[in-house]
Every structure is written in structure tokens, then in C-alpha cells.
Amino acid sequence: MALRARDIVNHDATLIGRKAWTDPHIYELEKRGIFAKSWLFLAHESQLPNPGDFVQAYMCETPVIVVRGADREIHANINSCTHRGLPVCRADHGNATKFVCPYHNWTYSVEGELLAIPQEKHLQSKADKGPLGLKPVPRVESWNGMYFGSFDPEIEPLDAYLGDQRWYLDAFFQRFPSGVEFVGSPQRWIINANWKLPVENQIGDVNHGPFLHSAVIPPEANREVFELGRSAVTIPGHGATFRLMPEGTPVEHVAWGFEGMSALLAPEIHDYLREIHAHAEERVGPIRARMKGLTYGVFPNLSFLWSNTAFKVSHPRGPGRVEYWCWSVVPADAPDEFKKILRGNHTTLFGPGGIIEQEDSEAWSQQYVGSRIDFADDRPYYYGLGLGEEKFHPDLPGLVSVTANEFYARHFFLRWRDALEKVED
Amino acid sequence: MSGVTPELQHRVEQWYYREARLLDGRQYETWLALCDPTIRYIVPARGNPLVDNKQQGTEAMISVERELEGVDSDRLPIRDETLPHLMMRMQRAYKPNSWSENPPARTRRIVGNVEIVEATEAQLSVLSNFHLHYARPGSATFFYAGQRRDVLHTRDDHGDYRILRREVVLDMSEIEFPTVGIFF
Ligand code: FES
Ligand SMILES: [Fe+2]
């Protein structure tokens, strides 16, 4: 008999069975119950300034072309030819006037309509091209320049889906007078791990830092997280962690810490950063001006590593494999030379070349190995740390606690369990 | 390249062999002394940009350069580092809590195709290729291939070469390595 979600996640999600990360049937339920029914991040508008600009994206395992059409709107279509299924675009990014499938050269507009079937020259009958375009992603919406797609035509609007998570995201986005820009292509890093572990790591697990990363993260930086770190959950499945610096903290201490290593090593940009943070209060208000971000998660698989200014998506590739995409993000109005320095805040410490994340990627792989072993299914993982210690906060939306409280993960898995139960036979 | 004597070629090759031995022997501190204090250490990303139809029929259409997202591009290199970054990596390697490499990875590299493309009194520009075997106990074994584009100081006080700039062009499609943070 197939495993059921409620056999894996107990009533209050303090115990999670190992099969959550390894079982192929559960993985299929995740596709139907979560990836078919959520808003999934596609691209940022800064990647697509001109008509014809496109980037590749994935929605779970499904390849999607995201393009700015001649109508200047953003379109998202599945990258698979209606004739025999080949991808019609093989590049990561670029500017195109049309997409031509390599196999028999069916030709599509960048917006996805089928324009030409070359074989028809030699045939009497003509196919009705109307329904033969690339399959569009039925819902595409944006918030703050971030485009999301959903395979569920009935899904709630993106604004409602993000809810109060927007308040936390805006603490970053609105900090910069001209917003932010995504730099280049995402780093695409394939890791032998389940997609949920990088996600859980970013929704709220900053508490592994002083332990897993003790070879690199200095004790003062860890102390700051222990003493000033907060974890917030607005809607289950989303999460935000940050340090709430005390009132009167000098802007320097909000503007950069150890995590901003490349910025730290480049005194020429310090005035620029100081200026941004000195005016943060006017843009995001007094509370959020004191927020010094750590990590965020948006259900199901978008992460934001504010401390190192990177967005990430954990694309599943089966239960034991993930394609982890990470984009560096910089202030849009920074001079080009500063952008080049600031992108290093991400790449030096995180991503496939990062000094810190090389520990995480191995931890995630080993968690998959540990979840797959035999004779241990009666030892589900303990997710009960800090149970019930989260409280509403006068100034911060959602439930709030210290970062050691694993409530963010319990909320994620309760939402995960409910989503799977809806599609179980 | 003219002006490259067999002696110079030999000396440079021997230097690279010694460098490889230091790195595979995990003598990172000794290796770091071969780096100039102003070193720039770069690993470009390797993108798949759309082919430019106007370049049809030319070498430019499929040049390696157009795939590289390096430090001078406005895109996202994998690494863009200076001496403090490399020192941090070295120090990490000598701590027991650098968990992903405890036990340490076993590496063995073959450096070849050493080509001195420019030689002046002060500097050498040298290309070399490498195959690097990386085995992480308890995990898996990986294979890296790539080209190093180096600028070397011709000599320091001890008559040794110093690395001023190293750009590592990796030949992967996806990044299927547990880390690209090693010393190539
Ligand atoms: S498969 Fe695309 S044209 Fe035939
Ligand atoms: Fe980590």
C-alpha cells in the first residue's frame, strides 16, 4: 500500500519520517499537490528589458521559456514542441525573434503561437495552428518585478499568496531607491539531495551556522544571530529570518557584516552603502530599517539569502537530486563597478564556489543518504525544538521567535502534508 | 611564441609540476606563498547564450569566449577572489570542522599543454590544461577538466615565479561538482 502523507508527518509536525525525502510515490504527490498548485518563481524583470529577451526557467521538472513579447508583456510557455516534444530553444538566455524547433523546423513566435509548419508546402491539407502553439503557463503574475507562474488556473492571486511575506521582502526591495537587479544567469548547481532540504535551510535554519560553518563564520557574527536573530512565519511555508539591530545601531553595522565580505574588502563602496542605509528609514520605516537580513523562504521552493543578496530556486529532479539555481542580486542604481564588487558578496561565500555553501551542499547530500538507509523508519526526524514558543509580536507580522525554534519547518511540513493529502487517492 | 627558449619552457613546466604537487599534497600554505599579494583568482561561469546568426560560418560563432561569464562581464562569475579569499580557504582547510572535507578530499591533477603565450622581462602569460581527480571519502569521486590562464611574475626575491592572475576555465555543462571552491 502506498505511503500516505499523514504517516510521514505527525499531527503537530514534530516528527517527520525519513521517506519524506526519498519515496518516489511521495515525490509524485509533491508534483501533483504542490508544484501543480503553487506560484513558482520564473524570472525578474531586470533580466528581460527588451522585446524578444528570454531566459529559461523551470517549474519543477518542466522547462519553461520566459520572454518579453512584442507586446512588452511577459509570457511563459513550456519549452516543448507541439509536434514531437523537442525543446524549441536550447540557449539559456538571449534575444530572439522566433523559436525554430530543430527537428522539423516548426516555427513559433516568441509569445508562443505556432507560425509555420514547413511540411505544409508539400501537402494539400493544412493543420489548424490555433491550438498548436507552445503550451502557455496558465497564470503569470508579478510582484516587485518578480515574475511567478502557476499551472493552476484557479490559484489565488500572487499578492494574496505572498501575503505578509511581502512586508519582509520589501524590507530589502524598498531599501534601494531604484530597486534591485538580477545579475547574469543563475548558477545552476546539481546536488544529490532532496529539494526540500535547501528550502528548509533557507526558510529558517540559520541556526546551523555556528555549527556546520564554524570553520569559517567568526564567533562575533554567530553571537549577533543568537542575540538579535528573529524568525518569522506569516503564512505557513513562508519564512523570514533577520537580525533586528537595537535602536541607535550605527548604519555601518546594519549595512554590512562579515557576510558582506567582498564589500568589506572594498572601502571605495562603503560610502555608497552607508548612504543607502542612512536613508532606509524613509523608505521602509523605523523597524525594517533596523533589519539586517539573513534568509527567507517562499513556499514551495524560492529562497532569498538576504545576507548574501541572492535569490535561489530548488528545482526537484527526482527525490534524490536537485538543480539549485542561484542569482546574485544588486541595487539597480549602483555604478557598474560597484555591482561587480557586490555580486562577489554572494559568489565568494555561497553558490558552487562559495566558501560557506560547500559545507551545506555536503550536509544536504548526506541527509539524503541518511534518509534512504534501511531499518530506521521507526526513527523519524525530530522537528520539535521550541514547540509553542513562537508568539505574535507588536511590530512584526506573523508568529515570531528566536532562530533556534524550528516552528518555520513545522509550519512548512503541515502545509506540505495538507497539500499532499488533497491529491492522495 | 618566439623568445621562449627550451630552458624557459622547462623551467616553467617544472614550476607547474611543483605547484601541482603542493596542491595535491594539501600544502596550501606553501602554495599560497606562490601567489602574489595582488593576485586575482577567477573562475568564470560557463553560459549557453543564443548563437548569433550573423556570425554563421565563422569561428566566432562557436568561440569559447562568448560562453564565459567572467569578471569583466556584467554577468555572474563563479569566483572572483583576491588573496584574503584564498587565505580564508587555506585556513578553513586546516580546521577539523571544515566538515565537507573532513576527511579531506584526495586530489590528483595532471597539468599539461603548458604554453607560454607572452614573455616579457617582468611577466609571463601561460596557458595550461588540467585534469583533476577529486575523491571525497564517504561521498563520491569527481572529475574536473579545464584550462588555466595565468599571468606570472617572472621572479620574486628567491628567483621563483609568483601568480599574479589565474583564470580557470572549466569545461562543464552543468555544475555537477560538490564544490568549485578548490584550488585549481
Ligand atoms: S519535433 Fe518540433 S518540429 Fe518536429
Ligand atoms: Fe549553511
Side-chain angles (χ1 to χ4, degrees):
Chain A
M1 214 184 81
L3 204 58
R4 300 189 78 81
R6 86 173 78 93
D7 302 330
I8 294 182
V9 179
N10 76 339
H11 69 287
D12 57 2
T14 51
L15 294 173
I16 318 280
R18 294 166 190 249
K19 293 267 191 303
W21 289 272
T22 60
D23 188 79
H25 170 70
I26 291 292
Y27 179 65
E28 287 310 310
L29 291 181
E30 287 179 331
K31 284 188 178 176
R32 289 195 273 135
I34 293 173
F35 289 97
K37 295 188 183 303
S38 299
W39 282 108
L40 304 175
F41 177 69
L42 296 173
H44 186 259
E45 63 181 6
S46 60
Q47 299 172 279
L48 305 162
N50 302 309
D53 286 349
F54 71 88
V55 291
Q56 298 276 1
Y58 276 95
M59 295 172 69
C60 194
E61 294 194 57
T62 303
V64 170
I65 312 174
V66 188
V67 60
R68 189 174 293 279
D71 55 2
R72 300 207 61 90
E73 296 296 312
I74 298 292
H75 301 259
N77 295 296
I78 294 181
N79 186 9
S80 176
C81 180
T82 318
H83 185 222
R84 293 291 183 273
L86 273 73
V88 300
C89 175
R90 292 161 68 86
D92 293 339
H93 62 91
N95 184 280
T97 50
K98 54 187 188 294
F99 295 119
V100 181
C101 179
Y103 206 178
H104 315 87
N105 283 13
W106 283 29
T107 300
Y108 301 86
S109 70
V110 290
E111 296 85 7
E113 301 113 34
L114 178 60
L115 301 175
I117 300 177
Q119 295 73 26
E120 285 186 340
K121 279 204 291 286
H122 311 288
L123 300 167
Q124 270 130 43
S125 61
K126 307 277 180 243
D128 173 10
K129 297 194 188 62
L132 295 179
L134 300 177
K135 179 179 167 165
V137 175
R139 292 279 296 277
V140 176
E141 287 181 18
S142 74
W143 176 77
N144 260 352
M146 307 270 290
Y147 279 84
F148 291 73
S150 179
F151 288 124
D152 179 5
E154 309 301 325
I155 193 168
E156 64 185 321
L158 179 63
D159 276 339
Y161 181 93
L162 295 172
D164 278 345
Q165 186 71 9
R166 291 173 302 171
W167 188 89
Y168 287 105
L169 284 163
D170 263 339
F172 174 74
F173 280 110
Q174 303 301 334
R175 215 172 200 84
F176 306 102
S178 311
V180 300
E181 195 174 285
F182 278 45
V183 183
S185 302
Q187 297 173 331
R188 300 163 63 151
W189 189 11
I190 294 171
I191 305 170
N192 292 322
N194 181 272
W195 68 274
K196 294 189 290 302
L197 207 60
V199 163
E200 180 187 319
N201 180 284
Q202 297 285 295
I203 306 177
D205 185 7
V206 293
N207 225 52
H208 72 278
F211 308 106
L212 183 70
H213 302 300
S214 55
V216 174
I217 300 183
E220 336 56 277
N222 288 325
R223 243 192 330 271
E224 199 178 83
V225 174
F226 281 133
E227 286 165 15
L228 306 170
R230 290 291 175 273
S231 189
V233 172
T234 50
I235 296 174
H238 304 334
T241 64
F242 48 87
R243 290 147 289 187
L244 192 60
M245 305 305 279
E247 278 178 66
T249 302
V251 283
E252 284 81 359
H253 294 173
V254 185
W256 62 82
F258 153 79
E259 64 267 23
M261 191 179 171
S262 295
L264 208 60
L265 292 171
E268 65 270 29
I269 74 166
H270 290 181
D271 281 344
Y272 170 78
L273 293 177
R274 225 178 255 122
E275 180 70 13
I276 286 175
H277 289 273
H279 290 96
E281 195 167 323
E282 297 152 32
R283 286 190 288 270
V284 297
I287 298 292
R288 288 185 290 180
R290 288 194 276 125
M291 278 173 61
K292 186 176 178 182
L294 289 163
T295 66
Y296 282 22
V298 173
F299 191 82
N301 64 341
L302 172 66
S303 306
F304 171 45
L305 178 63
W306 179 354
S307 58
N308 294 75
T309 52
F311 276 87
K312 302 143 167 252
V313 176
S314 181
H315 291 299
R317 294 290 178 268
R321 206 165 146 85
V322 60
E323 200 169 311
Y324 201 36
W325 286 26
C326 21
W327 294 262
S328 190
V329 177
V330 297
D333 65 357
D336 282 351
E337 284 320 297
F338 291 5
K339 287 179 184 168
K340 287 179 181 165
I341 293 167
L342 287 166
R343 69 188 175 186
N345 279 350
H346 162 229
T347 54
T348 296
L349 298 177
F350 288 85
I355 300 174
I356 286 187
E357 210 161 27
Q358 56 187 317
E359 250 73 75
D360 296 285
S361 60
E362 176 69 3
W364 301 334
S365 302
Q366 293 297 334
Q367 189 265 7
Y368 180 71
V369 172
S371 302
R372 211 179 37 185
I373 58 177
D374 299 320
F375 311 120
D377 285 334
D378 59 347
R379 273 306 150 98
Y381 298 137
Y382 184 66
Y383 271 70
L385 293 179
L387 183 65
E389 293 179 28
E390 59 276 12
K391 301 275 180 291
F392 289 104
H393 188 281
D395 300 317
L396 302 166
L399 288 163
V400 177
S401 192
V402 295
T403 58
N405 183 345
E406 294 180 337
F407 71 119
Y408 60 88
R410 289 188 289 277
H411 281 294
F412 175 92
F413 275 102
L414 289 172
R415 180 167 179 176
W416 180 89
R417 184 191 66 190
D418 292 349
L420 265 55
E421 285 199 305
K422 286 202 183 104
V423 292
E424 275 172 344
D425 319 309
Chain B
M1 135 111 220
S2 65
V4 176
T5 61
E7 290 73 26
L8 178 63
Q9 177 73 27
H10 179 72
R11 202 159 63 224
V12 170
E13 284 178 9
Q14 289 298 312
W15 187 86
Y16 276 118
Y17 299 160
R18 175 159 65 96
E19 191 203 8
R21 174 166 52 79
L22 292 176
L23 289 172
D24 290 337
R26 304 176 189 144
Q27 294 171 267
Y28 307 126
E29 198 168 5
T30 314
W31 173 77
L32 219 57
L34 303 179
C35 297
D36 188 88
T38 64
I39 187 174
R40 191 90 182 265
Y41 193 102
I42 301 156
V43 181
R46 199 89 196 242
N48 305 308
L50 191 67
V51 160
D52 180 355
N53 285 329
K54 288 194 282 294
Q55 293 181 326
Q56 252 190 90
T58 70
E59 289 181 355
M61 190 188 87
I62 55 166
S63 76
V64 170
E65 304 317 306
R66 59 188 296 284
E67 295 169 6
L68 301 182
E69 305 186 352
V71 290
D72 299 323
S73 75
D74 57 1
R75 303 187 67 81
L76 187 62
I78 297 173
R79 285 169 65 182
D80 175 8
E81 300 182 357
T82 56
L83 194 67
H85 299 103
L86 300 177
M87 283 176 63
M88 198 165 153
R89 293 186 186 279
M90 177 271 285
Q91 287 161 358
R92 169 187 168 278
Y94 298 135
K95 291 179 182 170
N97 47 6
S98 58
W99 297 112
S100 63
E101 277 153 329
N102 176 8
R106 288 145 200 174
T107 66
R108 192 66 60 197
R109 71 201 70 205
I110 305 296
V111 176
N113 300 47
V114 176
E115 184 185 358
I116 302 168
V117 290
E118 207 181 319
T120 67
E121 193 66 1
Q123 290 186 3
L124 299 175
S125 296
V126 189
L127 302 177
S128 60
N129 293 347
F130 64 90
H131 279 184
L132 167 54
H133 169 91
Y134 177 97
R136 191 178 266 190
S139 184
T141 295
F142 301 88
F143 173 72
Y144 301 75
Q147 181 189 51
R148 300 186 304 186
R149 303 170 172 186
D150 290 348
V151 178
L152 306 178
H153 253 320
T154 44
R155 58 184 56 237
D156 68 7
D157 302 340
H158 315 284
D160 211 349
Y161 297 120
R162 290 274 190 118
I163 310 166
L164 271 171
R165 182 183 168 99
R166 170 162 289 171
E167 188 173 2
V168 181
V169 174
L170 287 171
D171 300 321
M172 70 269 174
S173 55
E174 314 298 344
I175 300 170
E176 292 206 54
F177 309 120
T179 178
V180 191
I182 57 183
F183 295 126
F184 294 102

